Amino acid sequence: MSARDTFAGGVAVITGAGSGIGAGLARHAATLGMTVVLADIDATAAARLRAELVDGGTEALDMVCDVRDSDAVEALAERVYRDVGPVRLLVNNAGIEQFGYLWDTPVANWNRIMDINVGGVFHGVRAFLPRMIAAGTPAWVWNMSSIGGVAVVPLQAPYIVTKHAVLALTECLRLEVDHAGHDHIRVQAVLPGAVVSNIFESAGGVDQQNNAAQAAAESQRAAMLDIKAAAMDPVAAAEVVFEQAVAGDGDAFYLLTQPEYVGSAMTERARVLSNQEPPRLRTKPRFDPARH
């Protein structure tokens, strides 16, 4: 079973589709013959990508949506099912970053990253999954976690918390879909490693008039930008994810952009938990939580 055989002719809805791995997933979905709905709070980025895909012969629509707003996500789902058709693939991808010590993190930044990275996934599931269930046709839900969902990293605690949360949410959702007997729905967690995006540049920092706090936050931003320089192309990452999703009997749960690299982080996390080791500071992170 190939990704083209599985997804061609279907509708893909991708949040945060205007850039990064969201845009990569959209571009690759287009090559598979999917109709692509580009949902993003950045209207300009979504419209630009739509024009590119349409010029290439893909049926694509751009829709402005703030995933923090449950009513907006519900309206997105209603419009897609009314104007486009049943959704074969839902990708809850929208996400942001935050740098700095946890105690220096502005409350507004904490609330924003939780509302987007975790709340946005919940709102997507709540708006789309009942419709996907009712349609009765094969459908996939991909929730965007990260290598940061199986690692711990200083100076990025809010982001790491959200990606652990998304992974747990997705694991529970998989069980609940199975428990309810909805055999036509596949729930999968996407764990990107380092993938090119602008998430580090646009990440929040600290606003205290404290030079040490600001320096710590910006030093972590710089470290992540160094990692970005050697990061994976988003379209190449998307191709890996799509093929993993349907490999074998299509029962995979963890979709890893760099299977060996991300898999080693998972193995290390399992070892630490099994041995009940405390978190230990490293002079250089073994695993970066690089992402979409």
Side-chain angles (χ1 to χ4, degrees):
M1 179 170 58
S2 71
R4 180 176 296 278
D5 293 336
T6 301
F7 293 107
V11 175
V13 176
I14 303 169
T15 66
S19 63
I21 195 170
L25 289 165
R27 289 185 172 104
H28 189 64
T31 69
L32 298 177
M34 301 193 78
T35 295
V36 185
V37 177
L38 310 165
D40 204 298
I41 196 169
D42 186 338
T44 301
R48 185 185 304 119
L49 182 54
R50 175 189 176 275
E52 173 194 319
L53 297 181
V54 169
D55 286 347
T58 296
E59 186 174 350
L61 301 89
D62 57 303
M63 301 184 184
V64 176
C65 183
D66 184 346
V67 298
R68 296 174 294 179
D69 183 344
S70 61
D71 290 339
V73 182
E74 179 66 26
L76 172 68
E78 181 178 355
R79 181 181 172 190
V80 170
Y81 272 80
R82 182 190 67 230
D83 298 342
V84 186
V87 174
R88 187 170 302 173
L89 173 63
L90 169 67
V91 186
N92 290 307
N93 165 72
I96 61 170
E97 246 286 19
Q98 170 67 35
F99 295 122
Y101 290 120
L102 187 60
W103 57 86
D104 291 326
T105 300
V107 172
N109 290 23
W110 171 270
N111 290 337
R112 183 168 181 259
I113 197 169
M114 293 297 157
D115 288 347
I116 294 173
N117 293 16
V118 182
V121 175
F122 167 66
H123 296 153
V125 169
R126 194 168 186 273
F128 281 90
L129 190 57
R131 292 174 166 90
M132 298 166 87
I133 291 170
T137 54
W140 280 255
V141 176
W142 294 353
N143 293 334
M144 193 63 62
S145 182
S146 165
I147 190 173
V150 292
V152 292
V153 180
L155 295 162
Q156 293 176 249
Y159 179 88
I160 297 297
V161 168
T162 66
K163 293 307 179 179
H164 278 253
V166 169
L167 184 56
L169 180 156
T170 309
E171 290 169 335
C172 292
L173 181 63
R174 169 85 167 224
L175 293 177
E176 291 181 4
V177 167
D178 289 348
H179 185 273
H182 301 307
D183 297 337
H184 63 294
I185 305 291
R186 299 286 177 88
V187 175
Q188 297 169 315
V190 183
L191 282 74
V195 176
V196 174
S197 78
N198 63 0
I199 192 170
F200 301 135
E201 291 91 338
S202 60
V206 299
D207 56 10
Q208 287 85 347
Q209 298 303 310
N210 180 314
N211 291 337
Q214 292 176 350
E218 293 310 310
S219 69
Q220 189 66 8
R221 188 193 307 273
M224 293 298 100
L225 288 172
D226 286 345
I227 288 171
K228 175 184 173 179
M232 189 176 190
D233 176 77
V235 176
E239 182 176 1
V240 172
V241 169
F242 269 95
E243 292 303 328
Q244 283 185 2
V246 300
D249 60 4
D251 196 42
F253 177 74
Y254 302 100
L255 309 181
L256 317 178
T257 57
Q258 298 104 315
E260 183 176 351
Y261 169 57
V262 181
S264 66
M266 299 171 80
T267 299
E268 173 67 4
R269 181 66 173 165
R271 186 193 67 78
V272 168
L273 292 175
S274 179
N275 294 337
Q276 300 184 37
E277 295 181 10
R280 291 190 173 91
L281 190 64
R282 301 178 186 278
T283 56
K284 186 175 183 180
R286 180 177 299 178
F287 308 111
D288 79 274
R291 42 237 160 226
H292 57 294

